[in-house]
Amino acid sequence: MKIAIPKERRSGETRVAGSPDVVSKLVTLGFDVVVEKGAGIQANFTDEAFRNAGATIAKDLGTALKGADIVFKIQGPITSGAHEELSKFGKGTMLMASLSAMTNGSEMAACAKAGITAFAMELMPRITRAQSMDILSSQSNLAGYRAVIDGAHEFGRAFPMMMTAAGTVAPAKVFIMGVGVAGLQAIATAKRLGAVVTATDVRPATKEQVESLGGKFLVVDPEMEKDAQTEGGYAKEMPPEYFEKQKVVVAEHIKKQDIVITTALIPGRAAPRLITREMVQSMHPGAVIVDLAVEAGGNCEGSKPGSIVDVGGVKIVGHDNVPGRVPEDASALFARNLMNFLSPHVDKETKAVSIDWDDETVKGTLVTRDGAIVHDRVKEAIGKVKPARKPAAPKPKKAVKKADPQSDKAADGAAAKGN
């Protein structure tokens, strides 16, 4: 069977869904692997490295996808415009990628119409067996690390306490909002750099995790936080009164912080607003906020995707695709996630692929099959998105008695300018 690994064409995407190490393992499993020319350049994987690992290098996207049974991608195929990719996929092709399926209804419908069997890897169930397949964990881990590095880069002071002959340098105060995978890595990284770290989360179970890494946990409302976690381990959407109380507690704490990193995300929903403009304005000049949820609407008021915004001397960092700022490791881990998802369905003796459609990891990620969207949560989520209102049909014009030709020309010219 043929696995294709194409170049990513979405703006700002530096990763690739394969690495020489993973390609070598896929070849050992019996796959023919084809990598599009230049696919790994931004992740420091050369065509030669892929070729040495056993891959064939395809000259372009069409060649790479031709006859492919399985496609590994970072993001879903572009469905329209100059860089359109979907039409080059063969009917029945299995696609494994991060599809943002809960919010990309039109793209999921397009994949279904094209006959693609699409697996949205971001929907991987949070079960022990699936940990090695979980792209959210692998990419969030790197995002948490990089957020601290980006914050330190924008901060005008050192992180650790330094005792010098000229005086003492106080340690940086770092506040992490949201203690998932990204938040925990941010805590660990900030502590390694010598900062004093505090953190908060709606899930009380994270308190011990924060403290185990040397951070201090900021509690908002113990009673409300008792039921703040889903069975899958994700944060639930909290009631408005919780966020009002959180604003009061956080507003007082945030005034004294040097760097704040926000990581709060709710799958399929806009990111919760954690930091108001008033909170930003209360921080001292030189402070830095890194908003890891900026692409989902942002946790911080005033953050902008792909930008660093200055508000009275406080920098709000809103980099797009933060895992892609560590492209080599991000690509390698993403590729291993995909391989770990696929490999249990490969017969070790015959090398044939036989997908177990009843497998929990398959049912949890399968979005489109046989021309339809088959994932219940995705159908429910995209069903809530109201279609754009169609403009009212123009009313038929009444017949008008023609004036002289010169008047008609003037009228036509005026209409052209209005359009």
Side-chain angles (χ1 to χ4, degrees):
M1 295 189 81
K2 175 181 174 179
I3 294 179
I5 304 174
K7 183 191 300 182
E8 297 295 322
R9 286 169 167 77
R10 292 185 186 264
S11 177
E13 185 54 80
T14 58
R15 297 169 292 174
V16 61
S19 68
D21 176 63
V22 165
V23 165
S24 176
K25 288 179 170 62
L26 290 171
V27 170
T28 300
L29 283 171
F31 291 102
D32 294 323
V33 181
V34 178
V35 178
E36 184 183 356
K37 183 179 179 181
I41 294 301
Q42 293 190 78
N44 300 318
F45 300 141
T46 64
D47 291 342
E48 183 180 4
F50 279 123
R51 192 179 289 111
N52 291 340
T56 301
I57 305 301
K59 64 179 181 179
D60 55 28
L61 177 65
T63 306
L65 295 180
K66 187 176 181 180
D69 301 288
I70 299 167
V71 177
F72 279 6
K73 273 186 110 289
I74 296 291
Q75 298 192 52
I78 299 171
T79 57
S80 62
H83 300 293
E84 189 272 336
E85 301 168 296
L86 188 59
S87 62
K88 295 179 175 63
F89 280 69
K91 188 175 181 180
T93 301
M94 285 188 280
L95 169 66
M96 299 169 189
S98 176
L99 302 177
S100 299
M102 300 285 282
T103 54
N104 279 345
S106 60
E107 291 188 6
M108 295 306 95
C111 286
K113 187 177 180 181
I116 293 173
T117 300
F119 297 91
M121 300 301 293
E122 74 276 8
L123 300 179
M124 185 64 64
R126 286 284 174 96
I127 57 176
T128 302
R129 181 168 60 87
Q131 287 179 353
S132 66
M133 312 171 192
D134 189 352
I135 64 167
L136 291 183
S137 292
S138 72
Q139 302 304 290
S140 294
N141 191 53
L142 290 171
Y145 158 79
R146 183 69 204 203
V148 176
I149 302 303
D150 286 337
H153 176 73
E154 299 298 335
F155 188 49
R157 289 172 30 213
F159 257 52
M161 182 175 73
M162 297 181 184
M163 308 289 287
T164 76
T168 301
V169 174
K173 295 176 182 176
V174 178
F175 181 38
I176 313 297
M177 302 185 73
V179 189
V181 175
L184 289 170
Q185 184 55 249
I187 293 167
T189 302
K191 284 298 294 182
R192 283 195 292 267
L193 289 176
V196 174
V197 182
T198 53
T200 188
D201 194 284
V202 299
R203 297 162 294 181
T206 61
K207 182 176 185 290
E208 290 184 13
Q209 296 172 320
V210 170
E211 292 173 346
S212 72
L213 293 170
K216 183 178 179 181
F217 192 79
L218 184 70
V219 177
V220 174
D221 188 314
E223 285 302 312
M224 287 190 189
E225 290 168 353
K226 283 181 180 178
D227 189 36
Q229 182 170 310
T230 67
E231 291 182 6
Y234 294 101
K236 284 184 180 178
E237 188 170 21
M238 300 296 282
E241 54 268 29
Y242 176 86
F243 289 110
E244 288 304 314
K245 188 164 186 177
Q246 184 185 54
K247 284 177 186 177
V248 175
V249 175
V250 169
E252 192 57 36
H253 186 68
I254 212 169
K255 293 177 185 177
K256 309 164 190 173
Q257 302 306 304
D258 298 312
I259 295 176
V260 180
I261 297 171
T262 65
T263 72
L265 287 167
I266 300 170
R269 296 178 181 268
R273 185 56 50 84
L274 304 180
I275 301 177
T276 64
R277 186 169 293 276
E278 289 74 25
M279 292 180 194
V280 176
Q281 292 170 342
S282 75
M283 298 178 74
H284 65 80
V288 178
I289 299 169
V290 182
D291 191 343
L292 282 181
V294 68
E295 291 173 288
N299 295 142
C300 178
E301 187 175 0
S303 65
K304 293 183 180 178
S307 302
I308 298 176
V309 180
D310 191 300
V311 179
V314 177
K315 293 180 180 179
I316 306 175
V317 180
H319 291 307
D320 289 326
N321 186 20
V322 176
R325 294 172 65 76
V326 197
E328 187 171 340
D329 286 331
S331 299
L333 293 178
F334 198 106
R336 285 178 205 158
N337 291 147
L338 298 184
M339 182 188 68
N340 291 337
F341 173 65
L342 176 62
S343 58
H345 305 280
V346 180
D347 189 290
K348 292 180 180 178
E349 294 183 5
T350 65
K351 308 293 184 182
V353 174
S354 179
I355 301 295
D356 179 1
W357 302 106
D358 291 322
D359 186 282
E360 197 171 353
T361 64
V362 172
K363 289 194 295 185
T365 57
L366 181 64
V367 175
T368 66
R369 187 186 182 196
D370 297 331
I373 296 175
V374 297
H375 197 289
D376 289 338
R377 281 176 57 209
V378 172
K379 285 191 287 187
E380 181 184 356
I382 63 179
K384 291 177 181 177
V385 180
K386 294 181 180 179
R389 282 178 63 183
K390 294 181 180 179
K395 294 180 180 179
K397 294 180 180 178
K398 293 180 180 179
V400 188
K401 187 178 180 181
K402 269 200 171 184
D404 61 80
Q406 194 64 33
S407 298
D408 286 346
K409 286 180 182 177
D412 289 343
K417 287 182 182 177
N419 290 337

